Amino acid sequence: MLTAPHNVPPGVVTGDDLVALLKHARDNGYAIPAVNCTSSSTANACLEAAAKNNSPVMIQVSNGGGTFLAGKGMGNNDAPAIGSVALAYHVRAVAKYYGIPVVLHSDHCAKKLLPWFDSMLAADKAYFDKFGEPLFSSHMLDLSEEPDEENIAICVEYFKKMEPMKIWLEMEIGITGGEEDGVNNEDIDPEKLYTTPEQVYAVYEALSKIGPMFSIAAAFGNVHGVYKPGNVSLSPEKLLTHQEYTKEKINSPLARPIFLVMHGGSGSTDQEIETAVKNGVVKMNIDTDTQWSYWDGMRAFEAKNRSCLQGQIGNPDGADKPNKKFYDPRAWVRQAELSMMARVALSMEKLGSKGTYPRSSESGEVQIGNKVKSPSPALLVTAGIVVGVGASMALKVISKK
């Protein structure tokens, strides 16, 4: 087991703590799984998997995921931001009790989705002004469909806003193929699936002038979605070329001076993942596989108990026997969580993060800013109120724009 990253506390990490965590991952050759979550249930499954596997974890939300979290019937143009903020407040309410570091992240933001990004930054600023740290740990801009110059220029513009709050920026250059969350790159020019060292260095050169808190999702044949191993042509060895090129350009003493990110990991072989991590990947996105695992747990529960799920009363044990214990959402949702936990744990093992952060034995607390004192047990019962406060905060901030 590795020595845990010094001074990185359990719970949601931001700023210097986040930098220390990612440096520990880079310097010790492991990556942290970043799982797309669409509910408190999926987020809790990730937290429980991390606690049981002594691993940090990244919980991330997409634009579509934020809309779902807010409620598909809300009918508000800012629903993606409202739902994303609500998830952030839920995670902050419970994360420290799991005893491991948690990174709160927002996923792919294309140019057309920048209003969502702006609203999350406004929520970050409101939180920062009140508590001295941002609400989220990090955000991603995915402007890879735009010309490189425009992509980098917009990232610079936003990074200048984020750096004073010590928010990490993830950006993408080169395109990840396939389809995810309404963004379809299935028919993209294959050459654009492989980022060049010159492109990566151009990003590094522009962003490093502002601050060090950024990572680059450089494409190396990645494809979103589910594919059989071997059906996607990945070239993770190209990531080492990027590192070496930038290292020479900046005369860095570090073997891996760039924080890299891997997207579209479904269908990757264990060797491809291992090579990517060795070449400086500190974060790997997981969505398709965890979506399936969540459903698969529910599917297996229904198949096993089908005869008890055809009506509220009546099953093979008797026509008057109640079935409540089977159709109670807590029964089948829990089975979905357990299945998802197992898949997240598998990713932690493959990425090498398992065992890198022994679960803290300290008592937890609701993590809503530094000014909040340790809660009474009653606060645990009212965690839903905390989420409501987060959504209200977002609404107030958004309404002022």
Side-chain angles (χ1 to χ4, degrees):
M1 181 178 292
L2 295 174
T3 302
H6 294 298
N7 302 320
V8 175
V12 174
V13 292
T14 62
D16 294 340
D17 290 332
L18 176 56
V19 173
L21 178 63
L22 294 180
K23 282 185 176 179
H24 188 267
R26 181 191 63 187
D27 296 345
N28 289 278
Y30 69 90
I32 302 171
V35 187
N36 283 68
C37 293
T38 56
S39 64
S40 58
S41 172
T42 50
N44 292 348
C46 294
L47 292 168
E48 189 172 351
K52 290 184 175 179
N53 288 274
N54 297 305
S55 170
V57 69
M58 296 189 181
I59 291 178
Q60 60 188 28
V61 60
S62 67
N63 179 275
T67 300
F68 185 82
L69 276 151
K72 294 288 285 186
M74 176 179 279
N76 189 302
N77 289 337
D78 288 306
I82 294 166
S84 299
V85 168
L87 180 67
Y89 270 85
H90 168 74
V91 173
R92 280 187 168 274
V94 300
K96 271 189 174 291
Y97 292 95
Y98 286 88
I100 40 81
V102 180
V103 179
L104 265 174
H105 180 71
S106 65
D107 201 12
H108 295 265
C109 179
K111 187 176 180 180
K112 65 182 179 181
L113 302 179
L114 285 175
W116 168 53
F117 200 95
D118 292 333
S119 293
M120 288 188 293
L121 279 189
D124 281 319
K125 183 64 165 59
Y127 195 91
F128 182 86
D129 289 345
K130 189 172 184 180
F131 299 120
E133 69 171 340
L135 178 63
F136 288 86
S137 311
S138 56
H139 296 293
M140 183 199 178
L141 285 172
D142 181 1
L143 304 167
S144 56
E145 291 183 319
E146 314 306 324
D148 284 2
E149 294 79 9
E150 183 180 2
N151 180 353
I152 295 172
I154 295 175
C155 285
V156 166
E157 175 187 343
Y158 275 97
F159 195 32
K160 287 178 179 178
K161 300 176 183 178
M162 297 165 68
E163 197 276 335
M165 293 185 279
K166 292 190 174 182
I167 303 173
W168 190 280
L169 172 65
E170 176 186 331
M171 69 82 67
E172 181 166 343
I173 191 159
I175 294 177
T176 300
E179 189 276 336
E180 182 177 55
D181 206 41
V183 178
N184 194 320
N185 291 324
E186 292 178 314
D187 299 319
I188 202 70
D189 181 353
E191 288 188 5
K192 294 185 178 180
L193 298 178
Y194 299 91
T195 308
T196 68
E198 291 80 8
Q199 286 177 295
V200 172
Y201 176 67
V203 174
Y204 184 92
E205 185 179 33
L207 296 183
S208 62
K209 294 175 182 177
I210 303 167
M213 294 183 63
F214 65 91
S215 52
I216 302 172
F220 54 97
N222 321 58
V223 177
H224 286 134
V226 58
Y227 300 88
K228 289 180 64 177
N231 282 10
V232 176
S233 181
L234 292 182
S235 300
E237 67 279 358
K238 291 181 180 292
L239 300 179
L240 179 58
T241 305
H242 303 333
Q243 297 280 12
E244 292 173 340
Y245 186 88
T246 295
K247 173 183 170 64
E248 182 178 350
K249 282 286 188 179
I250 65 175
N251 194 28
S252 174
L254 299 172
R256 308 287 187 269
I258 312 169
F259 292 100
L260 294 174
V261 174
M262 179 177 177
H263 292 174
S266 299
S268 304
T269 66
D270 291 352
Q271 182 59 52
E272 288 167 338
I273 292 173
E274 182 180 347
T275 300
V277 173
K278 285 182 177 178
N279 290 335
V281 164
V282 295
K283 168 184 181 279
M284 187 178 88
N285 286 7
I286 306 164
D287 187 17
T288 303
D289 289 341
T290 46
Q291 286 179 346
W292 169 258
S293 64
Y294 193 88
W295 154 249
D296 197 40
M298 193 178 299
R299 179 203 59 76
F301 177 85
E302 189 279 334
K304 179 181 178 181
N305 300 289
R306 184 168 298 164
S307 61
C308 299
L309 293 167
Q310 304 308 306
Q312 288 184 284
I313 298 175
N315 60 49
D317 292 333
D320 59 347
K321 296 294 184 181
N323 294 317
K324 187 178 187 305
K325 67 179 181 179
F326 297 101
Y327 63 76
D328 184 330
R330 290 171 294 183
W332 42 271
V333 169
R334 180 55 179 165
Q335 295 307 306
E337 290 175 350
L338 291 172
S339 180
M340 182 174 174
M341 282 167 50
R343 183 60 185 83
V344 174
L346 178 61
S347 291
M348 290 170 174
E349 185 174 345
K350 289 185 176 185
L351 293 172
S353 69
K354 180 178 181 178
T356 59
Y357 192 99
R359 183 179 185 180
S360 174
S361 59
E362 297 178 9
S363 59
E365 61 179 355
V366 173
Q367 195 180 0
I368 310 297
N370 297 331
K371 295 180 182 179
V372 174
K373 297 180 180 179
S374 297
S376 66
L379 278 178
L380 298 179
V381 182
T382 59
I385 296 176
V386 177
V387 175
V389 170
S392 297
M393 190 180 208
L395 280 169
K396 289 178 181 178
V397 171
I398 292 166
S399 65
K400 292 178 181 178
K401 294 194 299 178

